[in-house]
Structures are given as structure tokens and as C-alpha cells.
Amino acid sequence: GESVGLHLPTLSVQEGDNSIINCAYSNSASDYFIWYKQESGKGPQFIIDIRSNMDKRQGQRVTVLLNKTVKHLSLQIAATQPGDSAVYFCAESPYLRGYNKLIFGAGTRLAVHP
Amino acid sequence: DGGITQSPKYLFRKEGQNVTLSCEQNLNHDAMYWYRQDPGQGLRLIYYSQIVNDFQKGDIAEGYSVSREKKESFPLTVTSAQKNPTAFYLCASSITAALAGNQPQHFGDGTRLSIL
């Protein structure tokens, strides 16, 4: 199988519980943030994004929270399901001369147990 | 369905050989990107292109080359100068930020390159 995710921090949760995945970003100039989900052997899949003029954004079963004061981003997944098991990446984006640069974190593995 | 297609899924390179990874998108996106992913790490940018016939080096461009002759296609060549090419290579595309501000990048399902 895909070896992406070896040696990553792991969050283990029970099916049905809520999950919170945290991310610290580095660039104060970043004004756009994205969460991606990557399953084994696949490319990253867009989950949700948030711009710096917002503190919170909700999607289907997911919520992203942004705390610009401490440069912290979190992804909350409600009623976690086995299909949510994957590696989750946050990405930050400073707007640079029209170029949509993304800076990725190292990722967190979410393991959902029945 | 609209999306990004990468091929082949698995590729093997002999020492001294150049290999080319294919990336095609039908999302009508102007911008395309190549990333390298190593185990336990995030994605690192190799090259990006914001428009046809233009491309720029990313953070780890040494040993790689690209071309952008068509909007839909952004092939990556891993040259013999890249001494540690074993990795998972991901192609992405997006709407150009200059037109619409920051936008998410959408990814293909990758090519795994290994050394023989």
C-alpha cells in the first residue's frame, strides 16, 4: 500500500465520536487556508477552505476554525465514520503576485475504530 | 467527469535514465503544479505554471524539467540528475489566483516512481 503517512502523528477515535485535527501555520501573511484528506494511494482531496476574514466555516459534517492570533487552524469532523480514516493535511497560502502558492503541513493520520 | 489524470500509476527508472510523468486536466484551469511527496512528509513544490508556455521553478526543481505547450497538459521529466527520485509525484491544477484570488488546488491520484 501507499507509504504516505508513516511516522505521522496519529489521532485515534471511536466511530461516532467527534474528531479534532489541529494545525499550526507559520506565515503571518497567509490569508487563505485549506484542509485536504488523503487516502492511501490517492491524491489529496479538497475538504474545506477558509479565508482570513473569517474565524469559522462549516461544511457537511466538517467545521474549520481559524485563530489568527496564535496562527492555529483546526478541522472538526462530526460523527466520525470509518470512511474518514485517512491522512489530513492543512495548507496555508500567502497571496504572492497572483500566484496561488500552497504551503503544506506534514499531516495527521486519523484512525477510526469501530 | 472533469478531473486530473496522471499516468502511469507506477513507474520504474533505471540509473541514468530520464522518465516523463504525464498530467492531463479537463477542468479548464490555467494554473498547474507538480509536487513531490515523501513518506511522513507534506507536499513539496517542484514546478508550477500559471499559463501556457510559461512555468516557474518551485522549491525543489533541481533534477526536474517541465513543459506547458497546451493548457490541458503539464508533463514532468525526472532527469538522471535527480539522484533521489523515489517518491510519490502529484499533479494539481487551479483557477489562476490573479483572476479569482486564492483558490483550492485539485489533485490527481499520483504516480509512484521507484528506482530499479
Side-chain angles (χ1 to χ4, degrees):
Chain A
E2 177 57 59
S3 58
V4 167
L6 287 179
H7 313 303
L8 290 176
T10 299
L11 174 65
S12 294
V13 300
Q14 292 294 122
E15 182 178 356
D17 287 351
N18 296 335
S19 302
I20 300 176
I21 302 172
N22 296 304
C23 176
Y25 65 92
S26 58
N27 193 330
S28 298
S30 291
D31 59 358
Y32 178 63
F33 305 87
I34 307 175
W35 279 100
Y36 285 96
K37 171 187 180 183
Q38 187 175 27
E39 296 175 281
S40 182
K42 299 274 186 80
Q45 175 186 0
F46 172 80
I47 302 173
I48 192 168
D49 58 0
I50 187 168
R51 300 186 189 278
S52 59
N53 60 352
M54 303 174 69
D55 298 321
K56 179 179 179 179
R57 190 167 187 219
Q58 288 184 291
Q60 186 177 15
R61 278 202 309 120
V62 294
T63 301
V64 55
L65 299 177
L66 174 62
N67 185 330
K68 295 180 288 292
T69 303
V70 295
K71 293 191 287 186
H72 184 267
L73 194 66
S74 68
L75 177 71
Q76 300 179 1
I77 304 173
T80 312
Q81 302 169 0
D84 295 325
S85 294
V87 176
Y88 289 80
F89 292 96
C90 65
E92 59 179 299
S93 181
Y95 184 82
L96 300 172
R97 300 190 302 276
Y99 160 46
N100 188 24
K101 180 180 178 72
L102 288 182
I103 303 169
F104 285 83
T108 297
R109 175 179 294 283
L110 176 65
V112 182
H113 302 286
Chain B
D1 278 354
I4 300 171
T5 301
Q6 291 188 241
S7 62
K9 188 168 179 64
Y10 299 97
L11 186 59
F12 297 90
R13 195 191 89 168
K14 296 179 182 178
E15 193 171 337
Q17 184 183 42
N18 293 352
V19 292
T20 298
L21 285 60
S22 171
C23 178
E24 303 280 330
Q25 55 99 359
N26 60 3
L27 299 168
N28 200 34
H29 287 165
D30 285 306
M32 296 187 74
Y33 314 81
W34 274 105
Y35 291 89
R36 170 182 173 136
Q37 188 174 33
D38 293 284
Q41 298 189 31
L43 282 65
R44 292 184 290 166
L45 182 67
I46 305 172
Y47 268 98
Y48 65 97
S49 168
Q50 296 187 77
I51 197 167
V52 174
N53 293 322
D54 182 66
F55 50 83
Q56 305 295 327
K57 292 182 179 180
D59 301 318
I60 54 165
E62 186 174 350
Y64 301 97
S65 66
V66 293
S67 62
R68 186 85 188 277
E69 297 176 2
K70 299 188 299 181
K71 186 175 183 178
E72 301 80 17
S73 179
F74 190 39
L76 173 75
T77 296
V78 183
T79 74
S80 57
Q82 173 48 247
K83 298 307 178 187
N84 183 24
T86 298
F88 191 49
Y89 290 88
L90 288 158
C91 178
S93 71
S94 74
I95 298 170
T96 303
L99 295 176
N102 292 102
Q103 296 291 324
Q105 294 177 17
H106 300 274
F107 287 83
D109 277 339
T111 293
R112 173 155 295 280
L113 176 62
S114 302
I115 294 290
L116 279 179

PDB file of all heavy atoms in Angstrom, chain A residues 8-37:
ATOM      1  N   LEU A   8       3.781   9.691  10.966  1.00  0.00           N
ATOM      2  CA  LEU A   8       2.974  10.874  11.203  1.00  0.00           C
ATOM      3  C   LEU A   8       2.301  10.777  12.554  1.00  0.00           C
ATOM      4  O   LEU A   8       2.017   9.688  13.049  1.00  0.00           O
ATOM      5  CB  LEU A   8       1.895  10.990  10.132  1.00  0.00           C
ATOM      6  CG  LEU A   8       2.331  11.334   8.719  1.00  0.00           C
ATOM      7  CD1 LEU A   8       1.145  11.301   7.801  1.00  0.00           C
ATOM      8  CD2 LEU A   8       3.000  12.702   8.692  1.00  0.00           C
ATOM      9  N   PRO A   9       1.994  11.930  13.183  1.00  0.00           N
ATOM     10  CA  PRO A   9       1.168  11.875  14.382  1.00  0.00           C
ATOM     11  C   PRO A   9      -0.184  11.254  14.041  1.00  0.00           C
ATOM     12  O   PRO A   9      -0.721  11.484  12.956  1.00  0.00           O
ATOM     13  CB  PRO A   9       1.038  13.349  14.783  1.00  0.00           C
ATOM     14  CG  PRO A   9       1.397  14.130  13.575  1.00  0.00           C
ATOM     15  CD  PRO A   9       2.352  13.301  12.803  1.00  0.00           C
ATOM     16  N   THR A  10      -0.712  10.481  14.968  1.00  0.00           N
ATOM     17  CA  THR A  10      -1.958   9.766  14.732  1.00  0.00           C
ATOM     18  C   THR A  10      -2.989  10.136  15.769  1.00  0.00           C
ATOM     19  O   THR A  10      -2.698  10.200  16.961  1.00  0.00           O
ATOM     20  CB  THR A  10      -1.724   8.241  14.760  1.00  0.00           C
ATOM     21  OG1 THR A  10      -0.811   7.900  13.716  1.00  0.00           O
ATOM     22  CG2 THR A  10      -3.028   7.493  14.547  1.00  0.00           C
ATOM     23  N   LEU A  11      -4.200  10.375  15.285  1.00  0.00           N
ATOM     24  CA  LEU A  11      -5.345  10.609  16.154  1.00  0.00           C
ATOM     25  C   LEU A  11      -6.262   9.402  16.022  1.00  0.00           C
ATOM     26  O   LEU A  11      -6.720   9.093  14.914  1.00  0.00           O
ATOM     27  CB  LEU A  11      -6.081  11.885  15.725  1.00  0.00           C
ATOM     28  CG  LEU A  11      -7.381  12.188  16.451  1.00  0.00           C
ATOM     29  CD1 LEU A  11      -7.113  12.476  17.922  1.00  0.00           C
ATOM     30  CD2 LEU A  11      -8.095  13.366  15.798  1.00  0.00           C
ATOM     31  N   SER A  12      -6.498   8.712  17.125  1.00  0.00           N
ATOM     32  CA  SER A  12      -7.373   7.543  17.121  1.00  0.00           C
ATOM     33  C   SER A  12      -8.694   7.903  17.787  1.00  0.00           C
ATOM     34  O   SER A  12      -8.703   8.424  18.904  1.00  0.00           O
ATOM     35  CB  SER A  12      -6.715   6.381  17.872  1.00  0.00           C
ATOM     36  OG  SER A  12      -5.571   5.929  17.190  1.00  0.00           O
ATOM     37  N   VAL A  13      -9.795   7.604  17.104  1.00  0.00           N
ATOM     38  CA  VAL A  13     -11.123   7.915  17.642  1.00  0.00           C
ATOM     39  C   VAL A  13     -12.047   6.736  17.433  1.00  0.00           C
ATOM     40  O   VAL A  13     -11.823   5.882  16.570  1.00  0.00           O
ATOM     41  CB  VAL A  13     -11.719   9.181  16.976  1.00  0.00           C
ATOM     42  CG1 VAL A  13     -10.831  10.393  17.209  1.00  0.00           C
ATOM     43  CG2 VAL A  13     -11.977   8.956  15.510  1.00  0.00           C
ATOM     44  N   GLN A  14     -13.100   6.712  18.235  1.00  0.00           N
ATOM     45  CA  GLN A  14     -14.137   5.703  18.080  1.00  0.00           C
ATOM     46  C   GLN A  14     -15.155   6.190  17.053  1.00  0.00           C
ATOM     47  O   GLN A  14     -15.458   7.392  16.974  1.00  0.00           O
ATOM     48  CB  GLN A  14     -14.856   5.460  19.404  1.00  0.00           C
ATOM     49  CG  GLN A  14     -13.996   4.781  20.473  1.00  0.00           C
ATOM     50  CD  GLN A  14     -13.615   3.367  20.082  1.00  0.00           C
ATOM     51  OE1 GLN A  14     -12.453   3.032  19.993  1.00  0.00           O
ATOM     52  NE2 GLN A  14     -14.620   2.529  19.856  1.00  0.00           N
ATOM     53  N   GLU A  15     -15.672   5.253  16.294  1.00  0.00           N
ATOM     54  CA  GLU A  15     -16.724   5.580  15.327  1.00  0.00           C
ATOM     55  C   GLU A  15     -17.873   6.284  16.045  1.00  0.00           C
ATOM     56  O   GLU A  15     -18.317   5.850  17.114  1.00  0.00           O
ATOM     57  CB  GLU A  15     -17.219   4.288  14.669  1.00  0.00           C
ATOM     58  CG  GLU A  15     -18.280   4.509  13.617  1.00  0.00           C
ATOM     59  CD  GLU A  15     -18.707   3.198  12.955  1.00  0.00           C
ATOM     60  OE1 GLU A  15     -18.115   2.152  13.271  1.00  0.00           O
ATOM     61  OE2 GLU A  15     -19.632   3.245  12.124  1.00  0.00           O
ATOM     62  N   GLY A  16     -18.328   7.370  15.479  1.00  0.00           N
ATOM     63  CA  GLY A  16     -19.421   8.130  16.058  1.00  0.00           C
ATOM     64  C   GLY A  16     -18.976   9.304  16.906  1.00  0.00           C
ATOM     65  O   GLY A  16     -19.764  10.233  17.143  1.00  0.00           O
ATOM     66  N   ASP A  17     -17.725   9.283  17.371  1.00  0.00           N
ATOM     67  CA  ASP A  17     -17.200  10.410  18.144  1.00  0.00           C
ATOM     68  C   ASP A  17     -16.864  11.572  17.201  1.00  0.00           C
ATOM     69  O   ASP A  17     -16.769  11.402  15.991  1.00  0.00           O
ATOM     70  CB  ASP A  17     -15.945  10.015  18.906  1.00  0.00           C
ATOM     71  CG  ASP A  17     -16.246   9.118  20.090  1.00  0.00           C
ATOM     72  OD1 ASP A  17     -17.454   8.952  20.417  1.00  0.00           O
ATOM     73  OD2 ASP A  17     -15.294   8.596  20.685  1.00  0.00           O
ATOM     74  N   ASN A  18     -16.686  12.739  17.807  1.00  0.00           N
ATOM     75  CA  ASN A  18     -16.199  13.880  17.032  1.00  0.00           C
ATOM     76  C   ASN A  18     -14.667  13.887  17.037  1.00  0.00           C
ATOM     77  O   ASN A  18     -14.043  13.527  18.042  1.00  0.00           O
ATOM     78  CB  ASN A  18     -16.723  15.189  17.626  1.00  0.00           C
ATOM     79  CG  ASN A  18     -18.236  15.292  17.549  1.00  0.00           C
ATOM     80  OD1 ASN A  18     -18.863  14.678  16.696  1.00  0.00           O
ATOM     81  ND2 ASN A  18     -18.831  16.060  18.454  1.00  0.00           N
ATOM     82  N   SER A  19     -14.071  14.310  15.933  1.00  0.00           N
ATOM     83  CA  SER A  19     -12.610  14.380  15.811  1.00  0.00           C
ATOM     84  C   SER A  19     -12.189  15.829  15.657  1.00  0.00           C
ATOM     85  O   SER A  19     -12.886  16.617  15.009  1.00  0.00           O
ATOM     86  CB  SER A  19     -12.143  13.608  14.572  1.00  0.00           C
ATOM     87  OG  SER A  19     -12.548  12.266  14.615  1.00  0.00           O
ATOM     88  N   ILE A  20     -11.054  16.156  16.253  1.00  0.00           N
ATOM     89  CA  ILE A  20     -10.474  17.484  16.069  1.00  0.00           C
ATOM     90  C   ILE A  20      -9.018  17.320  15.671  1.00  0.00           C
ATOM     91  O   ILE A  20      -8.222  16.734  16.409  1.00  0.00           O
ATOM     92  CB  ILE A  20     -10.566  18.340  17.345  1.00  0.00           C
ATOM     93  CG1 ILE A  20     -12.024  18.520  17.768  1.00  0.00           C
ATOM     94  CG2 ILE A  20      -9.911  19.708  17.105  1.00  0.00           C
ATOM     95  CD1 ILE A  20     -12.196  19.282  19.068  1.00  0.00           C
ATOM     96  N   ILE A  21      -8.684  17.823  14.496  1.00  0.00           N
ATOM     97  CA  ILE A  21      -7.317  17.769  13.995  1.00  0.00           C
ATOM     98  C   ILE A  21      -6.774  19.185  13.988  1.00  0.00           C
ATOM     99  O   ILE A  21      -7.424  20.102  13.466  1.00  0.00           O
ATOM    100  CB  ILE A  21      -7.268  17.162  12.584  1.00  0.00           C
ATOM    101  CG1 ILE A  21      -7.865  15.757  12.606  1.00  0.00           C
ATOM    102  CG2 ILE A  21      -5.842  17.134  12.050  1.00  0.00           C
ATOM    103  CD1 ILE A  21      -8.054  15.136  11.238  1.00  0.00           C
ATOM    104  N   ASN A  22      -5.603  19.359  14.571  1.00  0.00           N
ATOM    105  CA  ASN A  22      -5.037  20.693  14.730  1.00  0.00           C
ATOM    106  C   ASN A  22      -3.856  20.926  13.797  1.00  0.00           C
ATOM    107  O   ASN A  22      -3.168  19.989  13.389  1.00  0.00           O
ATOM    108  CB  ASN A  22      -4.571  20.892  16.179  1.00  0.00           C
ATOM    109  CG  ASN A  22      -5.719  20.849  17.148  1.00  0.00           C
ATOM    110  OD1 ASN A  22      -6.675  21.606  17.020  1.00  0.00           O
ATOM    111  ND2 ASN A  22      -5.658  19.946  18.114  1.00  0.00           N
ATOM    112  N   CYS A  23      -3.620  22.200  13.511  1.00  0.00           N
ATOM    113  CA  CYS A  23      -2.525  22.580  12.624  1.00  0.00           C
ATOM    114  C   CYS A  23      -2.029  23.966  13.026  1.00  0.00           C
ATOM    115  O   CYS A  23      -2.844  24.881  13.210  1.00  0.00           O
ATOM    116  CB  CYS A  23      -3.027  22.580  11.182  1.00  0.00           C
ATOM    117  SG  CYS A  23      -1.827  23.125   9.963  1.00  0.00           S
ATOM    118  N   ALA A  24      -0.718  24.096  13.178  1.00  0.00           N
ATOM    119  CA  ALA A  24      -0.121  25.398  13.414  1.00  0.00           C
ATOM    120  C   ALA A  24       0.499  25.866  12.105  1.00  0.00           C
ATOM    121  O   ALA A  24       1.245  25.115  11.475  1.00  0.00           O
ATOM    122  CB  ALA A  24       0.948  25.298  14.495  1.00  0.00           C
ATOM    123  N   TYR A  25       0.166  27.071  11.680  1.00  0.00           N
ATOM    124  CA  TYR A  25       0.763  27.555  10.438  1.00  0.00           C
ATOM    125  C   TYR A  25       1.844  28.573  10.743  1.00  0.00           C
ATOM    126  O   TYR A  25       1.944  29.080  11.859  1.00  0.00           O
ATOM    127  CB  TYR A  25      -0.291  28.092   9.478  1.00  0.00           C
ATOM    128  CG  TYR A  25      -1.051  29.323   9.927  1.00  0.00           C
ATOM    129  CD1 TYR A  25      -0.616  30.598   9.606  1.00  0.00           C
ATOM    130  CD2 TYR A  25      -2.248  29.192  10.636  1.00  0.00           C
ATOM    131  CE1 TYR A  25      -1.322  31.717   9.983  1.00  0.00           C
ATOM    132  CE2 TYR A  25      -2.960  30.308  11.022  1.00  0.00           C
ATOM    133  CZ  TYR A  25      -2.505  31.571  10.695  1.00  0.00           C
ATOM    134  OH  TYR A  25      -3.217  32.677  11.078  1.00  0.00           O
ATOM    135  N   SER A  26       2.666  28.847   9.742  1.00  0.00           N
ATOM    136  CA  SER A  26       3.910  29.565  10.037  1.00  0.00           C
ATOM    137  C   SER A  26       3.956  31.009   9.539  1.00  0.00           C
ATOM    138  O   SER A  26       4.673  31.834  10.106  1.00  0.00           O
ATOM    139  CB  SER A  26       5.093  28.807   9.421  1.00  0.00           C
ATOM    140  OG  SER A  26       4.911  28.667   8.027  1.00  0.00           O
ATOM    141  N   ASN A  27       3.179  31.322   8.503  1.00  0.00           N
ATOM    142  CA  ASN A  27       3.365  32.605   7.829  1.00  0.00           C
ATOM    143  C   ASN A  27       2.253  33.588   8.191  1.00  0.00           C
ATOM    144  O   ASN A  27       1.088  33.357   7.874  1.00  0.00           O
ATOM    145  CB  ASN A  27       3.393  32.380   6.309  1.00  0.00           C
ATOM    146  CG  ASN A  27       3.881  33.588   5.543  1.00  0.00           C
ATOM    147  OD1 ASN A  27       3.694  34.735   5.987  1.00  0.00           O
ATOM    148  ND2 ASN A  27       4.482  33.363   4.392  1.00  0.00           N
ATOM    149  N   SER A  28       2.618  34.663   8.857  1.00  0.00           N
ATOM    150  CA  SER A  28       1.623  35.672   9.248  1.00  0.00           C
ATOM    151  C   SER A  28       0.930  36.304   8.043  1.00  0.00           C
ATOM    152  O   SER A  28      -0.159  36.846   8.171  1.00  0.00           O
ATOM    153  CB  SER A  28       2.295  36.781  10.069  1.00  0.00           C
ATOM    154  OG  SER A  28       2.845  36.270  11.247  1.00  0.00           O
ATOM    155  N   ALA A  29       1.571  36.234   6.879  1.00  0.00           N
ATOM    156  CA  ALA A  29       0.991  36.819   5.662  1.00  0.00           C
ATOM    157  C   ALA A  29      -0.012  35.895   4.987  1.00  0.00           C
ATOM    158  O   ALA A  29      -0.668  36.289   4.022  1.00  0.00           O
ATOM    159  CB  ALA A  29       2.102  37.170   4.675  1.00  0.00           C
ATOM    160  N   SER A  30      -0.156  34.673   5.495  1.00  0.00           N
ATOM    161  CA  SER A  30      -1.105  33.745   4.878  1.00  0.00           C
ATOM    162  C   SER A  30      -2.529  34.235   5.101  1.00  0.00           C
ATOM    163  O   SER A  30      -2.905  34.605   6.218  1.00  0.00           O
ATOM    164  CB  SER A  30      -0.937  32.347   5.460  1.00  0.00           C
ATOM    165  OG  SER A  30       0.300  31.799   5.057  1.00  0.00           O
ATOM    166  N   ASP A  31      -3.307  34.236   4.022  1.00  0.00           N
ATOM    167  CA  ASP A  31      -4.679  34.740   4.129  1.00  0.00           C
ATOM    168  C   ASP A  31      -5.714  33.752   3.601  1.00  0.00           C
ATOM    169  O   ASP A  31      -6.890  34.079   3.449  1.00  0.00           O
ATOM    170  CB  ASP A  31      -4.812  36.078   3.400  1.00  0.00           C
ATOM    171  CG  ASP A  31      -4.462  35.974   1.916  1.00  0.00           C
ATOM    172  OD1 ASP A  31      -4.090  34.877   1.468  1.00  0.00           O
ATOM    173  OD2 ASP A  31      -4.574  36.993   1.218  1.00  0.00           O
ATOM    174  N   TYR A  32      -5.274  32.541   3.334  1.00  0.00           N
ATOM    175  CA  TYR A  32      -6.175  31.522   2.803  1.00  0.00           C
ATOM    176  C   TYR A  32      -5.667  30.181   3.293  1.00  0.00           C
ATOM    177  O   TYR A  32      -4.462  29.910   3.259  1.00  0.00           O
ATOM    178  CB  TYR A  32      -6.171  31.603   1.286  1.00  0.00           C
ATOM    179  CG  TYR A  32      -7.021  30.582   0.572  1.00  0.00           C
ATOM    180  CD1 TYR A  32      -8.403  30.553   0.741  1.00  0.00           C
ATOM    181  CD2 TYR A  32      -6.447  29.676  -0.305  1.00  0.00           C
ATOM    182  CE1 TYR A  32      -9.177  29.638   0.066  1.00  0.00           C
ATOM    183  CE2 TYR A  32      -7.210  28.757  -0.987  1.00  0.00           C
ATOM    184  CZ  TYR A  32      -8.576  28.740  -0.801  1.00  0.00           C
ATOM    185  OH  TYR A  32      -9.361  27.832  -1.476  1.00  0.00           O
ATOM    186  N   PHE A  33      -6.604  29.323   3.721  1.00  0.00           N
ATOM    187  CA  PHE A  33      -6.226  28.053   4.336  1.00  0.00           C
ATOM    188  C   PHE A  33      -7.139  26.944   3.829  1.00  0.00           C
ATOM    189  O   PHE A  33      -8.333  27.158   3.618  1.00  0.00           O
ATOM    190  CB  PHE A  33      -6.339  28.159   5.868  1.00  0.00           C
ATOM    191  CG  PHE A  33      -5.544  29.297   6.434  1.00  0.00           C
ATOM    192  CD1 PHE A  33      -6.095  30.568   6.522  1.00  0.00           C
ATOM    193  CD2 PHE A  33      -4.235  29.110   6.857  1.00  0.00           C
ATOM    194  CE1 PHE A  33      -5.366  31.637   7.021  1.00  0.00           C
ATOM    195  CE2 PHE A  33      -3.498  30.167   7.363  1.00  0.00           C
ATOM    196  CZ  PHE A  33      -4.059  31.421   7.445  1.00  0.00           C
ATOM    197  N   ILE A  34      -6.544  25.765   3.648  1.00  0.00           N
ATOM    198  CA  ILE A  34      -7.295  24.638   3.095  1.00  0.00           C
ATOM    199  C   ILE A  34      -6.994  23.385   3.910  1.00  0.00           C
ATOM    200  O   ILE A  34      -5.865  23.184   4.367  1.00  0.00           O
ATOM    201  CB  ILE A  34      -6.888  24.356   1.629  1.00  0.00           C
ATOM    202  CG1 ILE A  34      -6.990  25.607   0.766  1.00  0.00           C
ATOM    203  CG2 ILE A  34      -7.741  23.249   1.033  1.00  0.00           C
ATOM    204  CD1 ILE A  34      -6.483  25.383  -0.668  1.00  0.00           C
ATOM    205  N   TRP A  35      -7.999  22.557   4.039  1.00  0.00           N
ATOM    206  CA  TRP A  35      -7.809  21.208   4.575  1.00  0.00           C
ATOM    207  C   TRP A  35      -8.022  20.197   3.453  1.00  0.00           C
ATOM    208  O   TRP A  35      -8.991  20.274   2.703  1.00  0.00           O
ATOM    209  CB  TRP A  35      -8.799  20.909   5.702  1.00  0.00           C
ATOM    210  CG  TRP A  35      -8.400  21.471   7.032  1.00  0.00           C
ATOM    211  CD1 TRP A  35      -8.876  22.615   7.609  1.00  0.00           C
ATOM    212  CD2 TRP A  35      -7.441  20.920   7.940  1.00  0.00           C
ATOM    213  NE1 TRP A  35      -8.269  22.805   8.826  1.00  0.00           N
ATOM    214  CE2 TRP A  35      -7.391  21.780   9.064  1.00  0.00           C
ATOM    215  CE3 TRP A  35      -6.628  19.773   7.932  1.00  0.00           C
ATOM    216  CZ2 TRP A  35      -6.553  21.535  10.151  1.00  0.00           C
ATOM    217  CZ3 TRP A  35      -5.804  19.538   9.010  1.00  0.00           C
ATOM    218  CH2 TRP A  35      -5.775  20.412  10.108  1.00  0.00           C
ATOM    219  N   TYR A  36      -7.071  19.235   3.374  1.00  0.00           N
ATOM    220  CA  TYR A  36      -7.162  18.151   2.414  1.00  0.00           C
ATOM    221  C   TYR A  36      -7.184  16.813   3.154  1.00  0.00           C
ATOM    222  O   TYR A  36      -6.587  16.663   4.217  1.00  0.00           O
ATOM    223  CB  TYR A  36      -5.947  18.150   1.477  1.00  0.00           C
ATOM    224  CG  TYR A  36      -5.935  19.223   0.425  1.00  0.00           C
ATOM    225  CD1 TYR A  36      -5.239  20.421   0.631  1.00  0.00           C
ATOM    226  CD2 TYR A  36      -6.583  19.047  -0.789  1.00  0.00           C
ATOM    227  CE1 TYR A  36      -5.203  21.405  -0.348  1.00  0.00           C
ATOM    228  CE2 TYR A  36      -6.546  20.031  -1.774  1.00  0.00           C
ATOM    229  CZ  TYR A  36      -5.862  21.194  -1.540  1.00  0.00           C
ATOM    230  OH  TYR A  36      -5.832  22.170  -2.518  1.00  0.00           O
ATOM    231  N   LYS A  37      -7.829  15.837   2.517  1.00  0.00           N
ATOM    232  CA  LYS A  37      -7.860  14.455   3.015  1.00  0.00           C
ATOM    233  C   LYS A  37      -7.149  13.589   1.985  1.00  0.00           C
ATOM    234  O   LYS A  37      -7.431  13.685   0.788  1.00  0.00           O
ATOM    235  CB  LYS A  37      -9.313  14.001   3.155  1.00  0.00           C
ATOM    236  CG  LYS A  37      -9.502  12.526   3.463  1.00  0.00           C
ATOM    237  CD  LYS A  37     -10.983  12.166   3.409  1.00  0.00           C
ATOM    238  CE  LYS A  37     -11.206  10.694   3.712  1.00  0.00           C
ATOM    239  NZ  LYS A  37     -12.647  10.311   3.593  1.00  0.00           N
TER     240      LYS A  37
END
